[in-house]
Amino acid sequence: MTQNAARLTLLQPALGTATAPAIGPIPAFLRHNVPVAARSTHAPGRRTEETGVAVRDAADEALRALMSGYQAGDRDAFERLYAELAPVLGRLLLRLTHDPGRVDDLLQETFLQVHRARHTYDPAFPVRPWAYAIARHVFLMDCRYRHRRGDLAACQPLDEAIRDKAPSHEEMLATRSELGHALSRLSRGTRESVVMHHLHGLSFREIARRLHTGGPALRARASRGMARMRDTLEDEGNGNEQKP
Amino acid sequence: MNRSPEGVRSQILADLSPVRPLPRPWRRGLAVYGAGAAIAAVVTVRFGVRPDASALGPGVLWGLSLLQALYGLLLVGVALRESIPGRRLSAGLAPGLLVAGLSVALLITLVTWTVHASDVPTGKLFYYWRICFEMPTIVGFVPLALTLLLAFRAYPTRPALVGALAGLGAGLVADGSWRTFCEVTAPSHVLSAHFASVVLLTVLGAVIATVWNRLR
């Protein structure tokens, strides 16, 4: 594991993620086959204070329409649904397995099961809880299979896994301070984009509405900001202090 | 497993036929409700009404039987709902419904015994036990099988729970009908025969659903 990867592992709790999975090979769903928009705007559990519900409902309506299209045999609807669901299901599976190496396989199996069970989806209900239930079921089936094969560590209880892999309190404090330092090196506009999107979970559309700026510009800023923070943390990890 | 994302996507795209969404659980359960009504009608017509009907009164005889059967049908609906991904019952509700179902049967037994006490005729203990254990089990297997068929047309993620709910529901429906025929109210008979049949159907439902899920 590189120093950068180790730091990112530590950063996840500081950024509010529930668990801190070990960073191994990057799962495919986080690589290139998924549009950025699908990765960034529909994370589960994200909620804005003022308009979160409305944003969530709009996203959910879109997913319901895609799911209905998928049930009707629409190829394009399936492709778009895949792009929308793959990142969130991947994240869920990563949280469950703590093993990026298993996520790709489980994700593909989940989509096969989603396909097999697509007639059970009721358009009157949200798509995500339905898809999560299938993903969780696939994970449990995989756990049982591995358990029978003697792989007892594959599905240890969540709290044990978190305890084993979570950083210590001191590490968390150090991470928070490093994170603050890396953030302080960004320009004000970039910092706002990073904090509002990655920390507070606002969608780019919502941030654009609040800051009266264009969505694509915000997206670029946030992406640039994250890349710069990554560089800063990596440099500091290698002992190269940057000038402000 | 080791499938590639592209492989899975092409596999799904190749099989992208339109599907009709399943109707709501209560509508899917219509066949089971019909079977429940048919069972009640057949038991009443074929075996007749218990001889102590007048002593019990219509409320205790028909009212409590109907209550028990309706609770059983409610459990069937819940089982069908539970078989839809994302519609699972909360952790407390699932065992609560099962315990409440068994409690309904126990309560009805006690109320009936209190209103009119009657025991098994001397020398016919085993005969009565066998009839009152076998018949509700056999009769209850019909709604159980129907419910499981419907449940597995969906995608139950907790098959044992779905099976247990279906079994208990079917058992309550069958026993609710059977108690309009059996004139014995002694708890020793009702618990060892009628109640045992309900419990057996519950366990049977859970086991069948678990095995079915593994074979899928």
Side-chain angles (χ1 to χ4, degrees), chain A residues 28 33 70-75 78-79 82 105-106 108-109 111-113 115-125 129-130 133-134 136-138 141-142 148, chain B residues 1-6 8-9 11-25 83-88 153-159 213-214 216:
Chain A
N33 59 342
Y70 176 33
Q71 285 179 321
D74 182 349
R75 197 183 171 90
F78 166 70
E79 292 281 14
Y82 187 96
D105 269 356
L106 290 180
Q108 303 321 315
E109 181 61 24
F111 271 104
L112 284 177
Q113 296 302 323
H115 182 66
R116 186 196 275 189
R118 66 194 188 281
H119 66 289
T120 66
Y121 171 70
D122 182 345
F125 293 92
W130 175 82
I134 294 175
R136 199 176 291 272
H137 181 67
V138 167
M141 290 294 106
D142 184 59
R148 279 202 297 272
Chain B
M1 283 184 266
N2 288 323
R3 299 186 182 96
S4 74
E6 281 314 311
V8 168
R9 280 164 74 170
Q11 194 179 332
I12 292 174
L13 284 171
D15 182 43
L16 206 56
S17 53
V19 290
R20 200 174 53 176
L22 280 180
R24 296 276 165 85
S83 65
I84 303 285
R87 305 286 308 279
R88 62 189 291 168
R153 283 190 67 198
Y155 190 89
T157 52
R158 293 192 291 184
N213 187 55
R214 289 206 180 147
R216 251 193 322 169

Side-chain angles (χ1 to χ4, degrees), chain A residues 104-183:
Chain A
D104 268 352
D105 269 356
L106 290 180
L107 187 62
Q108 303 321 315
E109 181 61 24
T110 300
F111 271 104
L112 284 177
Q113 296 302 323
V114 161
H115 182 66
R116 186 196 275 189
R118 66 194 188 281
H119 66 289
T120 66
Y121 171 70
D122 182 345
F125 293 92
V127 176
R128 284 205 199 99
W130 175 82
Y132 289 164
I134 294 175
R136 199 176 291 272
H137 181 67
V138 167
F139 164 71
L140 288 174
M141 290 294 106
D142 184 59
C143 282
R144 271 181 211 158
Y145 174 77
R146 284 167 186 266
H147 199 81
R148 279 202 297 272
R149 297 248 161 170
D151 184 4
L152 302 179
C155 301
Q156 63 189 132
L158 198 60
D159 52 348
E160 273 179 46
I162 291 169
R163 197 179 55 223
D164 291 350
K165 290 179 180 171
S168 67
H169 183 62
E170 289 74 19
E171 285 172 325
M172 292 273 284
L173 285 177
T175 302
R176 193 172 285 188
S177 132
E178 286 166 7
L179 184 62
H181 181 59
L183 269 172

